[in-house]
Amino acid sequence: MPSPQEKTWRAGRFWWDCPQLGDSGAYPLRAVIFDLDALSDLDLDGHRVVFNAAFAAHGLGIQWSVGRYRQLLALHDERQRVTAELRKRCVGTECDVLTELLADEICATKEQMFDEMILDAGLAPRSGLVDLVMDAFAADIPVGVVSSGRRAWVEPLVRQLVGEGLVERIVTGDDVGDGAEAYRHALWELGVAPHDALGVAGSAAGLRKANAAGLATVLIDPDGVAGGGAAAAAVRADYSGADEALRLATCQRLHAQWWAQHSPSAA
């Protein structure tokens, strides 16, 4: 039986073989590219858990609750979050100096612990995710995943979340830098052009990166705080949906609608 990759090659599904935006009525969906945050709540159920372990390793009685960590996510840098928490518990100039040093040490400890802990953190796929990935696999539409993390833990985590053999390409921080370049690299590896792929992002930052790579993108935002607006093809709490599940047919419709409104011919 041919592998998903071999089927892709045999089908000739490369951007130079695909209809261009100017072709009449042609907005085919030829790939779906997720960022890792769209697969699972990596912040709350991953990074938060490891940070709590790092606090304990330093003898600190700090345990970030889900609610507290959601507040701290307004700060985009992990070190800023740790520093803000430490400063909340310590006031004074001398203490500020010590706080900066301690924040560095905690973040370094967290980085050391993360690779070992993340696969045992009990991360679960977002509701309805596996159904969408199975839809794409059955329709011979390749799936990619991008992450700024290390391949050593990203690959097994993807398999843990969606199963073996369902994701054709995984682009990690070991391959390219963070940002839109990860999506561009995934497009190149999948052999599709940006207008033939749908991005699925799990954060506002992920949405910006996918948009910068030229993808129509769905934002998964369970708490409704990430925004998105006109930058997203749709904003969903999860893949199950109270009214309509985010299955392949819905993705194809959202992708076609986005490009019907944003292609040069629509201007």
Side-chain angles (χ1 to χ4, degrees), residues 4 20 61-62 80 109 112 131-132 134 140 165 167 180 199 209 257:
Q20 299 302 303
I62 299 174
Q80 290 179 349
T109 300
Q112 293 171 0
D131 290 334
L132 172 56
M134 290 294 292
D140 200 21
V167 175
K209 295 170 188 176
Q257 288 176 345

Side-chain angles (χ1 to χ4, degrees), residues 45-230:
D45 299 330
H47 292 285
R48 180 183 66 88
V49 172
V50 182
F51 262 120
N52 285 342
F55 289 137
H58 283 269
L60 299 172
I62 299 174
Q63 287 287 297
W64 277 338
S65 67
V66 170
R68 175 58 177 160
Y69 197 69
R70 280 188 175 133
Q71 292 176 340
L72 290 167
L73 286 176
L75 303 173
H76 300 297
D77 179 79
E78 288 187 340
R79 187 178 178 280
Q80 290 179 349
R81 295 168 197 161
V82 174
T83 301
E85 186 67 40
L86 295 175
R87 281 180 175 162
K88 181 182 178 182
R89 298 162 184 263
C90 186
V91 179
T93 304
E94 181 181 354
C95 188
D96 281 347
V97 175
L98 296 175
T99 295
E100 295 286 343
L101 294 174
L102 182 56
D104 288 340
E105 292 177 4
I106 292 169
C107 288
T109 300
K110 182 259 184 180
E111 284 300 307
Q112 293 171 0
M113 301 176 75
F114 190 84
D115 289 9
E116 298 177 3
M117 291 188 61
I118 191 60
L119 296 177
D120 297 320
L123 288 168
R126 294 188 187 273
S127 177
L129 166 70
V130 176
D131 290 334
L132 172 56
V133 174
M134 290 294 292
D135 280 355
F137 183 77
D140 200 21
I141 292 178
V143 169
V145 174
V146 300
S147 170
S148 60
R150 300 182 184 91
R151 183 170 295 276
W153 63 265
V154 172
E155 279 194 345
L157 181 59
V158 170
R159 291 195 298 268
Q160 178 178 307
L161 293 171
V162 300
E164 188 76 41
L166 298 179
V167 175
E168 287 201 23
R169 290 290 184 271
I170 299 175
V171 177
T172 72
D174 294 338
D175 303 308
V176 295
D178 196 11
E181 190 58 33
Y183 283 95
R184 295 190 186 104
H185 193 79
L187 289 166
W188 178 80
E189 289 204 344
L190 292 169
V192 298
H195 60 258
D196 286 334
L198 181 72
V200 186
S203 66
L207 173 64
R208 289 192 295 270
K209 295 170 188 176
N211 285 165
L215 277 69
T217 305
V218 174
L219 175 63
I220 304 300
D221 183 18
D223 302 312
V225 297

Side-chain angles (χ1 to χ4, degrees), residues 200-267:
V200 186
S203 66
L207 173 64
R208 289 192 295 270
K209 295 170 188 176
N211 285 165
L215 277 69
T217 305
V218 174
L219 175 63
I220 304 300
D221 183 18
D223 302 312
V225 297
V235 180
R236 296 296 191 95
D238 55 29
Y239 299 89
S240 298
D243 300 318
E244 179 186 26
L246 188 62
R247 302 291 293 267
L248 182 61
T250 306
C251 288
Q252 290 169 321
R253 173 174 56 80
L254 292 171
H255 175 263
Q257 288 176 345
W258 173 269
W259 284 112
Q261 296 170 5
H262 294 83
S263 66
S265 60

